Amino acid sequence: MAKKQFKAESKRLLDLMINSIYTNKEIFLRELISNANDAIDKLTYLALTDEAARSAVSDPVIRVDFNKENRTITVTDNGIGMTKEELEENLGTIARSGSLAFKENMTAEEETEAANIIGQFGVGFYSAFMVADKVTVLSRSYKSEQGYKWVSDGIDGYTVTECDKTDVGTVIEMHLKEDTEEVKYSEFCDEYRLKSLIKTYSDYIRHPIIMEVTKYREEGEGDDKKQVSYTEAETVNSRIPLWQKSKNDVTEEELNGFYKDTFYDFEDPILAIQTNAEGLVAYKSLLFVPAKTPYNYYTKDFEKGLKLYSSGVLITDRCEELLPDHFRFVKGVVDSEDLSLNISREMLQQTHQLKTIANGIEKKIKSELKKLMSADREKYEKFFAAFGLQLKYGVVSDFGVNKDKLKDLLIFRSLKEDKYISIAEYIAAMGEDQKHIYYACGDSLSMIGGLPQVELVRDKGYDMLMLTDEVDEFVMQTLRSEGDKDFCSINSEGADLLDKSDEEKAETAEKENKELLEFVKEALSGKVFEVTVSKKLKTHPVCLSTSGPVTLEMEKYFAQMPGDEAQKPKAQRVLELNAAHPVFEKLKAAFDSDKDRAKALSELLYGQALLIAGLDIEDPAAWTETVLGLI
Ligand code: ADP
């Protein structure tokens, strides 16, 4: 009998699939099981209105069997079945709609990539040829008394002949390929392997998947006692997934248990979100925020992504596209019946649908975190301790494109309240006269509290954000402003914390002491850019500030990064002296009568300024000598 050729609109696709060693061959079973599941659904649906379908319906069941000796795996269903014409039409055409955008001249690299993508989504029935060198389909349609047999080796085309088949439904038998160096196809002919493939990919298929499973029982008495094995039909899949249940039917314990089992965590999640979206693309999801930062979170080993299902069938364990980087700590599953398992048909559409889902998920995570922030601040602070840094990186990355989405999730330590507050809370508590949102960066809260300028903030009755993460300075520079209030470092020139009279006094003192200031600058031989009379110091004798765009915090940040020391940005340091402080008088007296002592005092004061700013003294031994000399 002459073989019929495949309608090879895209024969290359088949070749690519079958022969690529990179594709995920094990998905063949998932593809056939979900076809079987669909076939049963179709028959059940038709039975509502069609007499022939009604008489063909029996209890839905999908069977998976294997035969080690014959190297065969069989998937059987009692679904709708196929007529002769349907066998030809459905199984004789590869990638019917051909919408998989296959470029004619793909490079080898592009082909590998395409095979990888297809390998996740599969090409439906044809996936069988990834593991089989011969596929036999026995099918009888509910419309027909006659069964038909479709046989193909995937390359030379196929034949269709009549065969005996007593019941309606389809049997697909795969004869496994010979083992090669790269792939041991015979591994699939194994009870445990098949069972675990069903558990992994088809656990939430609605109809029961039955396998003959090996069991053991004890036989005989006393010395004759022995273990005897036997087989028994068992339903392998658990069928109803948690996310398909209505929200009201799912308890917190169930959600927490599911999270811990699925994502291997010991602790309950800090937040569990169940969604049921019905917009452009319908999907259900379960999302979780872990309670702790994973140990490898900030390393390249950490991989983001959500499990992606299509009507209970696993497409991929980790779909990266579903999560933005700033929420990469979220774990979970997404299931959409609008996504097709079979990517060859609608690859471009799929990409679009994934984006729609990803957008919905991002919005949902944001709104749930926001809700947690107002409903349970203690819990939110715990979340922020684990992943706040991630949110801050999210604000600064990609030149701040996501800052508006993330800024209201940020909380900072407040100077006045001694607790964490959001930007909105800071602004709400601001008085009419306050123009800026003040902040200060430092290594620790106590260090920041000790900054001389903080006194000015306190005196004015303002609040201030106390920032201790390295990235904070960049967060502030990225955010720039909120409404008509800008973020302003208390160290910056525009901080507006001074009273006019103080300012004038300082300016006069600056003029009067010009020579002294010059002298101090020279005494420090190039270590500072400028020495000035401070406008902001109240009780402290000295402090360090900067002039120009690079702040001390940025300098510290860059100092920790690898790279050429000479190339790293350095802050232009300004040593500010408090002209109203008795120490200034001592310095002046020394300048008039004893220049050596004045030089030593200059070094002493500069060292103090460094220490208060959380910086190291460049030469501690020499500095200590100087201090001792003065004593
Ligand atoms: P898809 O399932 O994405 O349409 P497939 O290549 O897997 O693509 O299957 C092609 C068609 O063959 C299906 O749409 C269905 O009509 C038919 N088919 C496949 N398997 C079965 C089955 N077990 N029972 C009945 N029809 C089937």
Side-chain angles (χ1 to χ4, degrees):
M1 187 188 19
K3 282 189 176 167
K4 297 195 183 181
Q5 289 301 308
F6 288 112
K7 283 193 218 159
E9 281 141 16
S10 184
K11 192 138 197 304
R12 270 178 76 202
L13 172 62
L14 184 54
D15 292 344
L16 201 58
M17 274 304 290
I18 297 174
N19 298 317
S20 167
I21 55 164
Y22 302 103
T23 53
N24 201 0
K25 293 182 187 294
E26 64 189 29
I27 61 155
F28 77 96
L29 189 64
R30 163 195 95 175
E31 301 286 309
L32 298 187
I33 287 176
S34 77
N35 278 350
N37 192 63
D38 292 350
I40 293 171
D41 281 346
K42 283 180 197 162
L43 185 65
T44 319
Y45 181 73
L46 281 173
L48 298 173
T49 52
D50 186 317
E51 187 50 47
R54 195 168 2 219
S55 57
V57 170
S58 47
D59 282 347
V61 59
I62 302 165
R63 282 191 65 100
V64 175
D65 297 285
F66 67 98
N67 184 320
K68 250 193 167 84
E69 270 160 55
N70 300 342
R71 289 178 78 86
T72 57
I73 296 172
T74 317
V75 178
T76 308
D77 68 68
N78 55 1
I80 191 169
M82 283 175 273
T83 61
K84 186 177 181 213
E85 292 70 35
E86 284 167 341
L87 278 169
E88 300 216 1
E89 177 58 26
N90 294 338
L91 310 186
T93 312
I94 307 160
R96 252 160 305 147
S97 68
S99 66
L100 181 64
F102 258 77
K103 282 186 266 149
E104 270 312 309
N105 306 310
M106 272 203 288
T107 64
E109 229 165 76
E110 286 168 332
E111 290 208 348
T112 308
E113 199 181 319
N116 270 332
I117 297 170
I118 300 163
Q120 277 185 18
F121 281 86
V123 286
F125 169 75
Y126 282 99
S127 305
F129 288 108
M130 294 197 297
V131 295
D133 51 19
K134 182 179 165 195
V135 178
T136 307
V137 180
L138 305 175
S139 196
R140 196 186 121 193
S141 165
Y142 75 100
K143 290 183 271 193
S144 167
E145 290 299 316
Q146 180 64 53
Y148 291 91
K149 177 165 145 182
W150 180 100
V151 184
S152 172
D153 63 2
I155 304 162
D156 294 337
Y158 60 90
T159 58
V160 185
T161 50
E162 289 188 358
C163 73
D164 288 338
K165 191 163 187 321
T166 48
D167 45 0
V168 169
T170 305
V171 182
I172 298 180
E173 183 192 270
M174 286 153 284
H175 181 267
L176 295 178
K177 294 184 192 182
E178 289 301 318
D179 291 359
T180 65
E181 282 284 297
E182 283 104 4
V183 194
K184 302 270 169 282
Y185 294 96
S186 49
E187 275 179 13
F188 291 117
C189 249
D190 177 80
E191 179 181 324
Y192 297 100
R193 188 69 207 276
L194 290 172
K195 227 173 128 173
S196 94
L197 286 182
I198 295 170
K199 276 304 229 185
T200 306
Y201 291 104
S202 311
D203 202 28
Y204 303 119
I205 278 277
R206 224 145 40 82
H207 300 302
I209 305 167
I210 307 265
M211 270 185 78
E212 287 294 328
V213 176
T214 310
K215 307 242 154 132
Y216 296 92
R217 65 166 166 253
E218 285 190 349
E219 267 181 16
E221 291 289 315
D223 286 351
D224 289 337
K225 221 182 190 161
K226 56 180 180 201
Q227 291 263 332
V228 178
S229 73
Y230 65 103
T231 64
E232 197 174 274
E234 186 184 288
T235 302
V236 181
N237 54 331
S238 18
R239 304 180 61 187
I240 305 286
L242 208 52
W243 61 85
Q244 293 291 1
K245 294 187 184 170
S246 133
K247 242 186 218 185
N248 300 333
D249 296 341
V250 179
T251 65
E252 196 180 325
E253 284 73 49
E254 279 179 303
L255 281 176
N256 290 348
F258 174 85
Y259 166 76
K260 288 185 279 195
D261 289 350
T262 314
F263 301 104
Y264 311 110
D265 200 347
F266 301 109
E267 247 181 276
D268 286 344
I270 210 152
L271 187 61
I273 308 167
Q274 185 175 4
T275 70
N276 181 1
E278 278 164 352
L280 232 47
V281 183
Y283 63 89
K284 296 190 162 83
S285 71
L286 289 179
L287 306 169
F288 302 94
V289 177
K292 287 217 175 87
T293 333
Y295 72 95
N296 64 351
Y297 189 69
Y298 291 105
T299 72
K300 63 179 184 345
D301 293 339
F302 181 85
E303 297 176 317
K304 70 164 183 175
L306 301 175
K307 279 174 182 279
L308 179 63
Y309 288 81
S310 151
S311 303
V313 182
L314 183 69
I315 293 178
T316 174
D317 223 18
R318 201 166 52 73
C319 183
E320 291 183 34
E321 290 78 10
L322 288 175
L323 278 182
D325 270 346
H326 45 262
F327 292 148
R328 60 208 269 279
F329 47 80
V330 173
K331 307 256 183 218
V333 301
V334 174
D335 191 342
S336 170
E337 52 193 51
D338 289 347
L339 279 178
S340 156
L341 261 190
N342 187 329
I343 200 172
S344 64
R345 307 286 150 77
E346 299 112 357
M347 180 142 122
L348 296 173
Q349 198 188 333
Q350 299 259 50
T351 322
H352 193 73
Q353 286 167 326
L354 277 186
K355 271 210 188 94
T356 308
I357 299 177
N359 282 340
I361 283 176
E362 180 179 6
K363 285 211 185 80
K364 187 71 189 174
I365 297 170
K366 155 102 197 248
S367 69
E368 289 294 319
L369 285 173
K370 199 83 203 292
K371 234 195 254 167
L372 182 70
M373 187 179 190
S374 50
D376 188 342
R377 187 53 75 89
E378 202 180 313
K379 224 178 188 180
Y380 191 81
E381 281 181 18
K382 203 176 157 203
F383 154 74
F384 202 81
F387 300 110
L389 196 55
Q390 173 65 68
L391 298 182
K392 290 176 180 177
Y393 285 134
V395 168
V396 301
S397 68
D398 299 322
F399 307 103
V401 283
N402 293 308
K403 66 175 181 179
D404 288 335
K405 290 183 203 160
L406 297 174
K407 64 182 182 192
D408 32 341
L409 292 178
L410 301 178
I411 49 175
F412 304 97
R413 196 80 195 168
S414 145
L415 171 72
K416 214 169 162 182
E417 308 272 343
D418 196 26
K419 66 175 189 192
Y420 285 92
I421 58 170
S422 67
I423 297 170
E425 287 161 350
Y426 182 100
I427 290 176
M430 266 168 92
E432 288 281 311
D433 63 316
Q434 191 181 336
K435 294 197 193 77
H436 310 285
I437 302 167
Y438 291 104
Y439 70 87
C441 300
D443 296 337
S444 66
L445 294 176
S446 65
M447 193 217 109
I448 296 172
L451 288 173
Q453 296 90 323
V454 170
E455 278 177 76
L456 296 175
V457 178
R458 280 194 214 273
D459 284 357
K460 294 258 179 197
Y462 296 162
D463 197 0
M464 179 185 92
L465 307 175
M466 304 168 84
L467 313 179
T468 51
D469 283 329
E470 277 170 10
V471 70
D472 282 331
E473 180 86 46
F474 295 95
V475 171
M476 293 297 134
Q477 305 222 348
T478 308
L479 291 176
R480 294 246 287 287
S481 60
E482 174 69 25
D484 59 347
K485 309 288 180 197
D486 66 330
F487 289 90
C488 178
S489 163
I490 57 165
N491 292 321
S492 77
E493 282 161 24
D496 280 339
L497 288 163
L498 309 163
D499 291 327
K500 266 268 162 297
S501 64
D502 288 342
E503 242 173 285
E504 279 160 17
K505 251 188 249 165
E507 272 160 26
T508 316
E510 174 118 15
K511 273 186 210 129
E512 284 169 6
N513 293 290
K514 212 164 179 323
E515 274 172 56
L516 169 62
L517 299 176
E518 252 334 286
F519 172 85
V520 176
K521 183 180 168 185
E522 237 148 74
L524 296 173
S525 50
K527 286 180 199 135
V528 296
F529 174 73
E530 209 182 348
V531 180
T532 62
V533 170
S534 179
K535 294 171 179 171
K536 60 191 170 220
L537 287 173
K538 294 249 158 154
T539 55
H540 288 63
V542 280
C543 76
L544 203 59
S545 65
T546 54
S547 152
V550 184
T551 66
L552 289 169
E553 291 313 310
M554 287 166 137
E555 180 184 300
K556 276 188 242 171
Y557 180 76
F558 288 118
Q560 293 188 0
M561 313 238 284
D564 181 1
E565 286 307 315
Q567 297 290 325
K568 291 179 180 171
K570 290 266 183 322
Q572 287 184 340
R573 296 165 185 215
V574 177
L575 181 66
E576 298 188 18
L577 301 175
N578 183 353
H581 198 280
V583 163
F584 190 80
E585 290 308 314
K586 291 263 156 72
L587 179 64
K588 225 157 106 180
F591 174 65
D592 291 337
S593 61
D594 182 351
K595 291 279 190 292
D596 284 345
R597 183 174 157 79
K599 183 172 187 310
L601 281 173
S602 302
E603 279 167 15
L604 169 68
L605 290 172
Y606 177 59
Q608 286 195 344
L610 283 174
L611 291 176
I612 294 170
L615 293 164
D616 291 336
I617 287 174
E618 286 124 33
D619 185 347
W623 189 74
T624 311
E625 271 310 302
T626 308
V627 175
L628 289 175
L630 284 166
I631 296 168

